[in-house]
Every structure is written in C-alpha cells, then in structure tokens.
Amino acid sequence: MSNSQREQAAALPIVVLISGNGSNLQAIIDAVQRDRLPVQIRAVISNRSNAYGLKRAHTAGIPTAVVDHQAFSSRAEYEASLQELIDLYAPALVVLAGYMRILGDAFVNHYQGRMLNIHPSLLPAFPGLNTHQRALDAAVTEHGASIHFVTNELDGGPVVVQAAVPLFADDDAETVAQRVRIQEHIIYPLAIRWIAEGRLTTRGDQVLFDQQPLRQPIQYPPTLTTC
C-alpha cells in the first residue's frame, strides 16, 4: 500500500451537505489539500441543483449529488431519500455547511453524535435566521460563530467551539457577515480535525474533549492544550 493509500485509509470519511455558495465547504477542502485536515470528503450533496458549492466540489474532484426537496411530496420522503444516499458513502461524520433545511427527528436521530452544523452567532444567542441583523438590532458588542452537534432542537445541540468578533457602530449586516465568515473558515475545519484525531467525541448525550466532559464551548483562538 502506498503512503497516499495509507493516508486515505486512515482519513475520517465525511459527507458534506450544502444549499448555496459553499464557502465553508471550500475552507474544508482547502484544509484537506494543505494536509491540515485528515478527512476524506466522500461526497458533497445539495438540495439545490444551482448551489455554487457543487462547482467547488467538482473542481476539487469530489463526487456530488443533488436531492431536490421540491421533488418530494413530504419532508419525511425527502429525508429518507437523502439518508439512503448519504449512507451509501458510509460517512463517520455528516457536515452541514450552509445546508438550509430544518431536519426531522428521524433523520437527526439516525446521525446522532456524528453530525455537525455551523451557526453564525454565539449560541445560544440568536438561533435561526438573520443573525447578523438581529445582533445589530440588539446592540450587542460581540457576535460570532458556533460549531455544534445537531440535535432535535433547532440550533440547540452541544456547542463545541466558538469564535467571537467585535461589532462597531458603523457596521451593517454585510460587514458583520464578512467578519464572522473569516472565523467560520477557521473553526469549522478545526472542529472536524478534533473529531478526526479522536479528541472530540460523544458518549450518549455527553460531549468529550480529550476524554473529559466538555462543559462549555472552546473559545477560539484555543489554548495550547486544545490546538
């Protein structure tokens, strides 16, 4: 077996779900290509055929697929088809990277403890949509991004890592989004790397980091013991 074959065999197999531009997908791809992330992206799946992230995956030589939610008569039928496709790739981790669909209980339960999501706020603040404008409207001085395990509660799963950014008086939603996005592209590959290295794990409903219960989210930049 060649070195590249050994590395591929040891890499954590993942499937990435997207709905749009795929900038976080690109950050993950870049980290893999720079040998900073020991994963194998087995597929990128979108619910929208025009998602630009599909082009990013194609450029990187990653298999892609589209499961259009509009082609199904119910969410349950859509998610059953999506789950069947994902499971063909046998991922150890499902990564939601700008996947803009609320997932049902059966789907979430099937991937319990092995599905991550990124959310553009410092959870539990501002779950749901339009987080940047809501943060500005609330006149908070700090905003950011969170990586969390997916549970049946919308944006309510255990948060594993967060990165904060300041808000300024002359900000609008787009300037905030740009600032937060920079941090997203750092902490998502970081969280996935921890899982690939076996440092971030789950035991039932409990999240462990280096075999110890993770009682609060790790704040980026991490300490020397977490990097």
Side-chain angles (χ1 to χ4, degrees), residues 68-120:
D68 186 350
H69 61 278
Q70 296 180 326
F72 296 84
S73 59
S74 69
R75 184 172 72 177
E77 290 181 5
Y78 162 70
E79 290 180 358
S81 180
L82 177 62
Q83 179 179 310
E84 181 179 10
L85 177 59
I86 292 171
D87 288 350
L88 287 176
Y89 293 100
L93 182 68
V94 176
V95 175
L96 308 184
Y99 178 73
M100 302 303 291
R101 294 281 299 173
I102 296 175
L103 295 167
D105 290 354
F107 188 93
V108 171
N109 291 339
H110 181 71
Y111 297 108
Q112 182 178 8
R114 53 193 182 107
M115 183 159 57
L116 282 183
N117 185 41
I118 186 165
H119 185 74

Side-chain angles (χ1 to χ4, degrees), residues 176-187:
V176 174
Q178 291 173 5
R179 197 174 304 129
V180 170
R181 198 173 298 123
I182 292 170
Q183 301 305 313
E184 290 179 359
H185 296 171
I186 296 171
I187 64 173

